[in-house]
Amino acid sequence: MSTEPTIREAQLRDAEAIGRLHARAWKTAYRGILPDAILDGITEEARIEQRRKALREPFRPDVVNWVIEDEGTVRGWASTATARDDDLGSETFELLAIYLVPDDVGRGYGRRLMEHCVAEGRRLGFAEMTMWVLAGNERAQRFYAKAGFVPDERVSQEEFGETGALKLRMWRTL
Ligand SMILES: CC(C)(COP(=O)(O)OP(=O)(O)OC[C@H]1O[C@@H](n2cnc3c(N)ncnc32)[C@H](O)[C@@H]1OP(=O)(O)O)[C@@H](O)C(=O)NCCC(=O)NCCS
């Protein structure tokens, strides 16, 4: 990181960079966690289209997408909203997604994005924050633990093609 990175709200024009890094991050971070057939079937084009649609018509009105940019390049993406789980009240903020370009992992961009999302939750008056993480994604779990999150005992079985994967929820106060 040679300049000070900036974090800003994503625009429709960012769909390409976000979709591309999302596809690449899945193929890298979820290898060995999700089946190869699922990961090999992911294309950057499909993820770009998915992001375009989500930026045009967010699945909930309060979803905000953030990008971290450095030297004119998008390095990562995060998404936040009011938590969606039935057992949580409206005072809970959720990190819906956080993904970096694989080559940019470990350079402090994740930490900056996380700190931004935590600050945003506080600014909006939320009392606590959660996120879901795949059970085998140990790097992300370590990263969240360093940012003050602890597993809150909620687990969920997600369908991925013909197989399933376990997700854990993590939580912190704001
Ligand atoms: C998860 C992910 C975003 C984390 O980003 P990262 O680049 O690995 O993390 P950073 O380099 O910014 O973190 C730097 C350090 O600060 C820690 N840290 C991060 N946020 C922190 C915070 N708010 N307070 C204190 N420490 C923090 C990190 O654990 C790390 O510690 P270390 O240097 O001792 O290892 C990144 O690894 C990634 O994109 N992974 C693939 C996609 C993925 O798994 N996403 C999560 C889906 S649930």
Side-chain angles (χ1 to χ4, degrees):
M1 207 180 301
S2 52
T3 54
E4 191 53 35
T6 52
I7 296 175
R8 60 172 175 80
E9 210 172 310
Q11 308 296 315
L12 190 54
R13 65 182 154 84
D14 297 309
E16 184 162 344
I18 298 172
R20 217 175 280 291
L21 76 84
H22 195 208
R24 293 180 57 205
W26 267 60
K27 286 171 188 278
T28 308
Y30 297 159
R31 191 67 66 184
I33 302 177
L34 297 181
D36 285 346
I38 300 266
L39 299 177
D40 294 342
I42 291 172
T43 65
E44 293 185 4
E45 292 68 28
R47 289 290 163 109
I48 290 167
E49 203 38 56
Q50 208 181 65
R51 284 305 110 206
R52 235 177 234 136
K53 214 169 154 198
L55 285 164
R56 266 201 205 104
E57 304 158 33
F59 70 100
R60 286 205 320 270
D62 68 330
V63 174
V64 180
N65 290 279
W66 306 100
V67 286
I68 183 161
E69 225 171 10
D70 195 20
E71 295 177 320
T73 303
V74 171
R75 311 289 178 156
W77 159 63
S79 179
T80 54
T82 307
R84 56 194 159 174
D85 302 328
D86 296 344
D87 65 325
L88 299 174
S90 57
E91 76 284 1
T92 311
F93 198 46
E94 183 172 351
L95 181 71
L96 300 171
I98 184 165
Y99 290 93
L100 303 182
V101 173
D103 287 348
D104 287 322
V105 164
R107 302 180 64 196
Y109 295 125
R111 179 181 187 141
R112 279 176 158 82
L113 257 182
M114 171 63 89
E115 284 171 352
H116 176 83
C117 293
V118 165
E120 187 61 14
R122 286 195 185 118
R123 189 185 71 79
L124 293 169
F126 288 96
E128 53 183 34
M129 185 163 170
T130 58
M131 99 280 301
W132 288 93
V133 58
L134 281 170
N137 191 355
E138 284 167 14
R139 179 175 188 121
Q141 285 173 46
R142 275 200 306 275
F143 168 80
Y144 293 141
K146 287 206 174 153
F149 290 83
V150 290
D152 80 349
E153 312 292 321
R154 270 291 298 266
V155 294
S156 153
Q157 184 73 20
E158 300 279 314
E159 299 295 317
F160 287 98
E162 289 175 4
T163 57
L166 205 60
K167 276 181 146 185
L168 318 171
R169 195 170 68 189
M170 295 182 78
W171 169 94
R172 63 164 284 173
T173 55
L174 287 179

mmCIF file of all heavy atoms in Angstrom, residues 2 5 7 25 43 46 60 66 84 105 107-108 115 118 130 133-134 142 150 153 155 167:
data_model
loop_
_atom_site.group_PDB
_atom_site.id
_atom_site.type_symbol
_atom_site.label_atom_id
_atom_site.label_comp_id
_atom_site.label_asym_id
_atom_site.label_seq_id
_atom_site.Cartn_x
_atom_site.Cartn_y
_atom_site.Cartn_z
ATOM 1 N N SER A 2 0.948 1.955 -1.095
ATOM 2 C CA SER A 2 1.867 3.083 -1.137
ATOM 3 C C SER A 2 1.152 4.416 -0.957
ATOM 4 O O SER A 2 1.789 5.422 -0.687
ATOM 5 C CB SER A 2 2.634 3.074 -2.452
ATOM 6 O OG SER A 2 1.722 2.996 -3.517
ATOM 7 N N PRO A 5 -5.425 4.380 1.131
ATOM 8 C CA PRO A 5 -6.606 3.884 0.419
ATOM 9 C C PRO A 5 -7.856 4.660 0.788
ATOM 10 O O PRO A 5 -7.928 5.241 1.878
ATOM 11 C CB PRO A 5 -6.731 2.436 0.888
ATOM 12 C CG PRO A 5 -5.697 2.211 1.903
ATOM 13 C CD PRO A 5 -4.911 3.443 2.117
ATOM 14 N N ILE A 7 -12.201 4.574 1.019
ATOM 15 C CA ILE A 7 -13.388 3.717 1.052
ATOM 16 C C ILE A 7 -14.569 4.602 0.673
ATOM 17 O O ILE A 7 -14.727 5.698 1.202
ATOM 18 C CB ILE A 7 -13.587 3.114 2.461
ATOM 19 C CG1 ILE A 7 -12.409 2.193 2.789
ATOM 20 C CG2 ILE A 7 -14.913 2.335 2.530
ATOM 21 C CD1 ILE A 7 -12.406 1.613 4.184
ATOM 22 N N ALA A 25 -12.107 -14.406 -5.439
ATOM 23 C CA ALA A 25 -11.992 -14.665 -3.992
ATOM 24 C C ALA A 25 -12.645 -15.997 -3.629
ATOM 25 O O ALA A 25 -12.102 -16.768 -2.842
ATOM 26 C CB ALA A 25 -12.620 -13.513 -3.196
ATOM 27 N N THR A 43 -18.126 -18.130 -12.865
ATOM 28 C CA THR A 43 -17.451 -17.297 -13.872
ATOM 29 C C THR A 43 -17.490 -15.832 -13.439
ATOM 30 O O THR A 43 -18.428 -15.399 -12.765
ATOM 31 C CB THR A 43 -18.110 -17.406 -15.263
ATOM 32 O OG1 THR A 43 -19.435 -16.863 -15.166
ATOM 33 C CG2 THR A 43 -18.163 -18.856 -15.754
ATOM 34 N N ALA A 46 -20.639 -14.078 -14.825
ATOM 35 C CA ALA A 46 -21.892 -14.290 -14.081
ATOM 36 C C ALA A 46 -21.901 -13.461 -12.796
ATOM 37 O O ALA A 46 -22.927 -12.879 -12.425
ATOM 38 C CB ALA A 46 -22.066 -15.771 -13.759
ATOM 39 N N ARG A 60 -32.676 -5.607 -0.383
ATOM 40 C CA ARG A 60 -33.390 -4.861 0.662
ATOM 41 C C ARG A 60 -32.966 -3.406 0.560
ATOM 42 O O ARG A 60 -31.840 -3.113 0.170
ATOM 43 C CB ARG A 60 -33.055 -5.419 2.052
ATOM 44 C CG ARG A 60 -33.727 -6.753 2.339
ATOM 45 C CD ARG A 60 -33.896 -6.950 3.844
ATOM 46 N NE ARG A 60 -32.743 -6.483 4.582
ATOM 47 C CZ ARG A 60 -31.691 -7.247 4.890
ATOM 48 N NH1 ARG A 60 -31.656 -8.493 4.513
ATOM 49 N NH2 ARG A 60 -30.687 -6.754 5.573
ATOM 50 N N TRP A 66 -19.748 -1.119 -0.201
ATOM 51 C CA TRP A 66 -18.565 -0.279 -0.036
ATOM 52 C C TRP A 66 -17.418 -0.857 -0.848
ATOM 53 O O TRP A 66 -17.267 -2.086 -0.904
ATOM 54 C CB TRP A 66 -18.136 -0.261 1.436
ATOM 55 C CG TRP A 66 -19.220 0.128 2.381
ATOM 56 C CD1 TRP A 66 -19.982 -0.712 3.145
ATOM 57 C CD2 TRP A 66 -19.678 1.450 2.673
ATOM 58 N NE1 TRP A 66 -20.894 0.014 3.883
ATOM 59 C CE2 TRP A 66 -20.729 1.337 3.620
ATOM 60 C CE3 TRP A 66 -19.309 2.723 2.238
ATOM 61 C CZ2 TRP A 66 -21.412 2.430 4.126
ATOM 62 C CZ3 TRP A 66 -19.988 3.822 2.739
ATOM 63 C CH2 TRP A 66 -21.016 3.677 3.683
ATOM 64 N N ARG A 84 -30.615 -9.698 9.093
ATOM 65 C CA ARG A 84 -31.807 -10.280 8.464
ATOM 66 C C ARG A 84 -32.355 -11.484 9.231
ATOM 67 O O ARG A 84 -33.383 -12.023 8.859
ATOM 68 C CB ARG A 84 -31.475 -10.684 7.037
ATOM 69 C CG ARG A 84 -30.297 -11.645 6.978
ATOM 70 C CD ARG A 84 -29.719 -11.801 5.585
ATOM 71 N NE ARG A 84 -28.347 -12.299 5.687
ATOM 72 C CZ ARG A 84 -27.601 -12.657 4.672
ATOM 73 N NH1 ARG A 84 -28.067 -12.563 3.456
ATOM 74 N NH2 ARG A 84 -26.375 -13.080 4.849
ATOM 75 N N VAL A 105 -4.833 -9.737 -0.291
ATOM 76 C CA VAL A 105 -5.094 -10.231 1.065
ATOM 77 C C VAL A 105 -3.833 -10.040 1.917
ATOM 78 O O VAL A 105 -2.718 -10.199 1.434
ATOM 79 C CB VAL A 105 -5.511 -11.731 1.007
ATOM 80 C CG1 VAL A 105 -5.416 -12.380 2.378
ATOM 81 C CG2 VAL A 105 -6.926 -11.855 0.458
ATOM 82 N N ARG A 107 -2.772 -7.236 3.346
ATOM 83 C CA ARG A 107 -2.114 -5.928 3.172
ATOM 84 C C ARG A 107 -2.810 -4.808 3.940
ATOM 85 O O ARG A 107 -2.503 -3.645 3.745
ATOM 86 C CB ARG A 107 -2.067 -5.576 1.674
ATOM 87 C CG ARG A 107 -1.328 -6.631 0.845
ATOM 88 C CD ARG A 107 -1.299 -6.245 -0.619
ATOM 89 N NE ARG A 107 -0.538 -5.024 -0.844
ATOM 90 C CZ ARG A 107 -0.595 -4.302 -1.966
ATOM 91 N NH1 ARG A 107 -1.379 -4.701 -2.945
ATOM 92 N NH2 ARG A 107 0.118 -3.222 -2.099
ATOM 93 N N GLY A 108 -3.774 -5.199 4.803
ATOM 94 C CA GLY A 108 -4.431 -4.183 5.632
ATOM 95 C C GLY A 108 -5.727 -3.627 5.049
ATOM 96 O O GLY A 108 -6.428 -2.873 5.710
ATOM 97 N N GLU A 115 -13.070 -1.871 9.794
ATOM 98 C CA GLU A 115 -13.183 -0.732 10.707
ATOM 99 C C GLU A 115 -14.210 0.278 10.182
ATOM 100 O O GLU A 115 -14.965 0.862 10.943
ATOM 101 C CB GLU A 115 -11.811 -0.074 10.919
ATOM 102 C CG GLU A 115 -10.942 -0.915 11.854
ATOM 103 C CD GLU A 115 -9.495 -0.454 11.944
ATOM 104 O OE1 GLU A 115 -9.090 0.438 11.167
ATOM 105 O OE2 GLU A 115 -8.766 -1.021 12.794
ATOM 106 N N VAL A 118 -17.732 -1.191 10.901
ATOM 107 C CA VAL A 118 -18.042 -1.078 12.333
ATOM 108 C C VAL A 118 -18.411 0.382 12.657
ATOM 109 O O VAL A 118 -19.413 0.650 13.340
ATOM 110 C CB VAL A 118 -16.828 -1.556 13.191
ATOM 111 C CG1 VAL A 118 -16.965 -1.117 14.639
ATOM 112 C CG2 VAL A 118 -16.693 -3.071 13.099
ATOM 113 N N THR A 130 -23.335 -8.589 13.447
ATOM 114 C CA THR A 130 -23.115 -10.019 13.201
ATOM 115 C C THR A 130 -22.627 -10.237 11.769
ATOM 116 O O THR A 130 -22.713 -9.339 10.930
ATOM 117 C CB THR A 130 -24.420 -10.848 13.338
ATOM 118 O OG1 THR A 130 -25.375 -10.326 12.428
ATOM 119 C CG2 THR A 130 -24.977 -10.834 14.737
ATOM 120 N N VAL A 133 -20.129 -16.915 8.514
ATOM 121 C CA VAL A 133 -18.870 -17.322 7.899
ATOM 122 C C VAL A 133 -18.880 -18.846 7.738
ATOM 123 O O VAL A 133 -19.406 -19.561 8.595
ATOM 124 C CB VAL A 133 -17.666 -16.821 8.757
ATOM 125 C CG1 VAL A 133 -17.725 -17.335 10.192
ATOM 126 C CG2 VAL A 133 -16.328 -17.166 8.133
ATOM 127 N N LEU A 134 -18.309 -19.340 6.648
ATOM 128 C CA LEU A 134 -18.249 -20.790 6.428
ATOM 129 C C LEU A 134 -17.374 -21.449 7.507
ATOM 130 O O LEU A 134 -16.327 -20.904 7.881
ATOM 131 C CB LEU A 134 -17.672 -21.103 5.044
ATOM 132 C CG LEU A 134 -18.641 -20.962 3.868
ATOM 133 C CD1 LEU A 134 -17.887 -21.059 2.542
ATOM 134 C CD2 LEU A 134 -19.738 -22.022 3.927
ATOM 135 N N ARG A 142 -10.355 -15.973 11.970
ATOM 136 C CA ARG A 142 -9.277 -15.323 12.757
ATOM 137 C C ARG A 142 -9.365 -13.808 12.601
ATOM 138 O O ARG A 142 -9.230 -13.052 13.563
ATOM 139 C CB ARG A 142 -7.905 -15.793 12.270
ATOM 140 C CG ARG A 142 -7.438 -17.102 12.898
ATOM 141 C CD ARG A 142 -5.921 -17.252 12.753
ATOM 142 N NE ARG A 142 -5.469 -17.115 11.375
ATOM 143 C CZ ARG A 142 -5.453 -18.104 10.485
ATOM 144 N NH1 ARG A 142 -5.888 -19.309 10.814
ATOM 145 N NH2 ARG A 142 -5.000 -17.902 9.256
ATOM 146 N N VAL A 150 -17.143 -12.855 18.242
ATOM 147 C CA VAL A 150 -17.076 -14.209 18.819
ATOM 148 C C VAL A 150 -18.220 -15.037 18.229
ATOM 149 O O VAL A 150 -19.274 -14.483 17.883
ATOM 150 C CB VAL A 150 -17.208 -14.188 20.365
ATOM 151 C CG1 VAL A 150 -15.975 -13.586 21.008
ATOM 152 C CG2 VAL A 150 -18.472 -13.461 20.807
ATOM 153 N N GLU A 153 -23.015 -19.161 18.630
ATOM 154 C CA GLU A 153 -23.697 -20.458 18.762
ATOM 155 C C GLU A 153 -24.711 -20.745 17.663
ATOM 156 O O GLU A 153 -25.189 -21.867 17.545
ATOM 157 C CB GLU A 153 -24.403 -20.644 20.138
ATOM 158 C CG GLU A 153 -23.568 -20.289 21.361
ATOM 159 C CD GLU A 153 -22.398 -21.245 21.575
ATOM 160 O OE1 GLU A 153 -22.582 -22.445 21.353
ATOM 161 O OE2 GLU A 153 -21.308 -20.764 21.922
ATOM 162 N N VAL A 155 -25.785 -21.774 14.046
ATOM 163 C CA VAL A 155 -25.201 -22.395 12.861
ATOM 164 C C VAL A 155 -26.299 -22.573 11.826
ATOM 165 O O VAL A 155 -27.489 -22.584 12.162
ATOM 166 C CB VAL A 155 -24.544 -23.767 13.163
ATOM 167 C CG1 VAL A 155 -23.344 -23.626 14.064
ATOM 168 C CG2 VAL A 155 -25.552 -24.731 13.749
ATOM 169 N N LYS A 167 -22.429 -23.018 8.112
ATOM 170 C CA LYS A 167 -22.049 -21.627 8.355
ATOM 171 C C LYS A 167 -22.210 -21.316 9.831
ATOM 172 O O LYS A 167 -23.140 -21.836 10.471
ATOM 173 C CB LYS A 167 -22.963 -20.682 7.563
ATOM 174 C CG LYS A 167 -22.539 -20.475 6.123
ATOM 175 C CD LYS A 167 -23.485 -19.519 5.467
ATOM 176 C CE LYS A 167 -22.794 -18.656 4.444
ATOM 177 N NZ LYS A 167 -23.713 -17.641 3.907
#
